[in-house]
Amino acid sequence: MEPRVTDRPEKSRYEILAAAADDDGAATETAGFAEYHLSEGEIAFIHTEIDPRFGGRGLGGLLARGALDDARARGLSVLPYCPFIRGWIGKHPEYADLVPEERRARFGL
């Protein structure tokens, strides 16, 4: 099974589900998450983490892309307090428009 990103609003985080490296792909586990705080029209990403067992597979980038694509689809402005999400947006400038223009300098974008 391909990794997939899902919103878990009851936990205020996006999770990426993936098969463990030694798994035949039948079962998935939570490989990582991006915690957020949601307020009126804004989503503030505060912490992202990938389980070391899943490292080196590009799952952090897939998680960031999935979470940001969902924020865009929902019409939310993004506040990337999390260094990983902020850095990912910096490497993918097509996502910089999600951060309000007047706040981009604060995040180095």
Side-chain angles (χ1 to χ4, degrees), residues 12-71:
S12 296
R13 70 188 201 175
Y14 287 90
E15 294 180 350
I16 187 159
L17 305 174
D22 59 352
D23 194 342
D24 64 6
T28 60
E29 297 180 48
T30 301
F33 59 86
E35 292 179 334
Y36 63 79
H37 175 74
L38 189 61
S39 61
E40 290 185 32
E42 293 182 333
I43 186 166
F45 287 97
I46 52 177
H47 179 71
T48 302
E49 191 173 311
I50 297 293
D51 185 313
R53 295 178 304 129
F54 293 88
R57 295 172 50 186
L59 297 177
L62 291 174
L63 175 58
R65 183 179 303 276
L68 293 171
D69 284 348
D70 188 60

Side-chain angles (χ1 to χ4, degrees), residues 82-97:
C82 167
F84 181 82
I85 298 291
R86 184 170 54 248
W88 195 89
I89 292 172
K91 292 176 186 170
H92 299 86
E94 65 272 21
Y95 286 87
D97 67 305

